[in-house]
Amino acid sequence: MADTREFDLTLFGATGFVGKLTAEYLAGAAPESARIALAGRSLDKLTKVRDELGPAAASWELVVADSTDQAALDALAARTTVVVTTVGPYLRYGLPLVAACAKAGTHYADLTGEPLFIRDAIDQFHDQAATTGAKIVNSCGYDSIPSDISVYQLYKHSVADNAGELEETTLVAWLKGGASGGTIDSGRAMMEAIAEDPSKGRVLSHPYSLSPDKSMDPDVGRQSDQALQRASSIDPSLDGWVATFIMGSHNTKIVRRTNGLLGWVYGKNFRYREVMSAGKSPVAPLVAAGMAGGIVATMAAGAVLSRVALGRKLLDRVLPKPGTGPSEKARTSGWFTMKTFARTSSGAKYVATFAGAGDPGYQATAVMLGEAGLCLAFDGDKQPELAGILTPAAAMGDALTDRLRAAGITIEVDRT
C-alpha cells in the first residue's frame, strides 16, 4: 500500500493539544524518507504548527479536512497508508473517519478511552475493515497500550516457558500526571450519550462489552473495576493500599478484546483487573477509600448533570476546556510505572513492568501514538495479519513492543 499512496502517515488533528505533541514527536522520530502530512480544519493553523516544527517537517504536506465532511475524510484516507487521529471526543467526531479508513483499506490509530465509540465502530465497520485489510486500532496512548502490551508479553513469556495459561492477572498503576480538557470532554460525551439512551450504560459496566464473540466469553465470575484493599493481597512484594484506577474500566475491556481477537489464547480462566496505588502512609487507607468513592460519585454526578441543560452549563463552567492541558513543566516532570502480576494454570508467577518518563496522558502518550502510527506505516511485515477494529497488541504485537523499547520505554517481564 505504501508505494501506491501519496503519504505514509497523516496526522489528523495536528493543531490540537495532543496533536501538536504528537507532531513534535514524529518530527524527531520518523525516518527522513517518511512522507508525512498534517491534517486539520484550518490551513493557517496547520502552517503555524509545521513552521514551529523546524527543518525536519519543512516538506510535510498540509491537508484541510473537517471531521463533519465525509467527502474530505474519504479523500484524506485514500491518499495515505496510515491516519493517526487525535480528534475527539471520538464518540462525537470519530466515526466518519473510521468509515473512510475502513472503506479505503487505510490503517488507523487513535487515543480513545471511550468504549461506546469502539462498540459503535465494531458494529458498523469491523467487517468492512477486515475485508479491505484496514487495521483500525483504538486506544494507542497511555490508554491502553501499557495494559495491552504488558498482558500480551506476559502471555508470550508463559508460552515460551510452557507455563500454562494466564489466570489471575492484576495491573497496579503508579503515576504522576495531569488531565486535559479533551480527556474531560470525552467523559462528558459518554455521559451525555447514556443520558439520551440509558441502555448504553451496559457497554461501560459489562466487562466483555467489546468482545468479538460473546458466545465465547470466559465464565470466570464477577470482575469488578472497583477496588479498596491492601496491596500485599495482590503480591507480597507490595506495601500500602490500592484503589480504583479511573481508566481501569476501559483498559480491561481492551485487554479482554485482545484475548478474544487472538482466539482466547490467554486462557478461558483469564481474570483481569486494574488498580491504582494509594501509597503506604498512615492515611493511605483513607486516600484509597476517597479515590474509590470519588470515581463512583463523579460518574454518577456526571450522568445526572448531563441529563439537563442547567447541569451541562454547570459542567461547562467548572471543567477544563477542550484544547487545554498540563504545562510543559508538568508534562516533563511526570512519570508512570505499571506492574502487572500474573499467575498461570501451572502455578507459575510473573510480573510485567511497563514504565516511562513524562506525563503519561500527554508526553508519553505522544510517544506511544507516534510509534503506533510509524509501526502501522512501516512494520507491516512484522505484524499479525489481522484486520478490522483491533487493539494495539492484536494489531501490532511484538513489532510495537520493539518500537516502544527503542523509544526509551521500559517493557520487561520477569518470572518470580
Side-chain angles (χ1 to χ4, degrees):
M1 186 196 304
D3 293 335
T4 62
R5 302 281 175 112
E6 189 176 349
F7 309 123
D8 298 309
L9 186 153
T10 298
L11 175 61
F12 184 52
T15 62
F17 189 83
V18 181
K20 289 179 183 178
L21 295 177
T22 306
E24 291 172 4
Y25 180 76
L26 289 171
E32 290 186 13
S33 59
R35 300 167 299 165
I36 293 177
L38 302 178
R41 292 181 296 176
S42 168
L43 181 60
D44 290 343
K45 290 182 179 180
L46 288 170
T47 301
K48 185 174 185 294
V49 169
R50 183 179 63 182
D51 290 347
E52 291 173 349
L53 295 175
S59 64
W60 291 5
E61 294 282 346
L62 305 179
V63 178
V64 176
D66 190 286
S67 59
T68 62
D69 186 341
Q70 190 65 61
L73 296 178
D74 289 345
L76 181 155
R79 297 174 69 185
T80 188
T81 299
V82 177
V83 174
V84 170
T85 175
T86 65
V87 179
Y90 295 93
L91 192 58
R92 291 183 190 143
Y93 307 120
L95 284 176
L97 182 57
V98 173
C101 291
K103 178 182 177 181
T106 299
H107 303 323
Y108 160 109
D110 69 28
L111 290 174
T112 189
E114 305 164 50
L116 297 182
F117 164 73
I118 298 175
R119 187 65 258 174
D120 285 347
I122 294 167
D123 293 341
Q124 297 180 41
F125 303 112
H126 176 77
D127 290 344
Q128 184 181 28
T131 298
T132 62
K135 290 177 180 279
I136 309 292
V137 192
N138 303 121
S139 304
C140 292
Y142 180 66
D143 314 305
S144 304
I145 279 180
S147 308
D148 206 28
I149 292 297
S150 290
V151 177
Y152 178 77
Q153 290 301 329
L154 285 167
Y155 153 71
K156 293 293 295 290
H157 279 72
S158 67
V159 169
D161 292 347
N162 194 28
E165 298 180 333
L166 298 181
E167 293 190 339
E168 198 71 32
T169 305
T170 301
L171 179 147
V172 183
W174 295 262
L175 65 123
K176 177 186 176 184
S180 82
T183 299
I184 299 297
D185 210 27
S186 292
R188 284 191 57 188
M190 288 194 292
M191 291 303 99
E192 289 170 4
I194 292 170
E196 292 178 7
D197 181 1
S199 68
K200 291 182 179 292
R202 182 167 171 77
V203 177
L204 296 187
S205 63
H206 196 283
Y208 294 98
S209 59
L210 301 183
S211 171
D213 183 350
K214 289 183 170 32
S215 68
M216 296 292 290
D217 292 344
D219 183 12
V220 293
R222 187 170 181 266
Q223 296 180 88
S224 173
D225 294 313
Q226 304 303 315
L228 175 56
Q229 64 189 98
R230 291 188 179 275
S232 58
S233 65
I234 297 168
D235 189 86
S237 66
L238 299 176
D239 294 326
W241 289 76
V242 296
T244 304
F245 181 34
I246 191 168
M247 287 311 302
S249 64
H250 177 74
N251 295 336
T252 54
K253 293 176 179 61
I254 293 293
V255 170
R256 294 182 191 116
R257 179 166 175 78
T258 297
N259 191 25
L261 288 169
L262 298 178
W264 287 268
V265 293
Y266 297 168
K268 293 293 287 185
N269 291 311
F270 173 64
R271 289 175 54 86
Y272 181 68
R273 65 180 183 137
E274 297 189 352
V275 299
M276 181 176 181
S277 173
K280 53 186 178 180
S281 72
V283 297
L286 297 177
V287 172
M291 291 165 63
I295 290 172
V296 174
T298 300
M299 295 291 286
V304 171
L305 290 172
S306 295
R307 290 190 176 98
V308 294
L310 183 60
R312 290 192 292 272
K313 289 182 180 179
L314 176 62
L315 291 175
D316 286 338
R317 294 186 63 180
V318 302
L319 295 177
K321 299 295 185 290
T324 64
S327 67
E328 181 177 1
K329 180 179 179 180
R331 295 197 307 271
T332 56
S333 66
W335 54 268
F336 68 97
T337 297
M338 320 284 272
K339 286 187 177 290
T340 308
F341 298 86
R343 186 185 69 239
T344 73
S345 54
S346 72
K349 293 183 178 180
Y350 293 86
V351 58
T353 301
F354 193 113
D359 180 288
Y362 301 92
Q363 202 82 5
T365 279
V367 175
M368 295 181 214
L369 181 62
E371 290 297 343
L374 294 171
C375 188
L376 289 169
F378 299 113
D379 299 343
D381 59 335
K382 302 175 184 177
Q383 298 170 17
E385 295 183 1
L386 290 174
I389 310 300
L390 305 178
T391 59
M396 295 173 277
D398 290 327
L400 179 58
T401 304
D402 292 343
R403 276 191 168 273
L404 294 173
R405 284 173 172 153
I409 292 177
T410 297
I411 307 174
E412 300 173 343
V413 176
D414 296 304
R415 189 165 181 172
T416 59

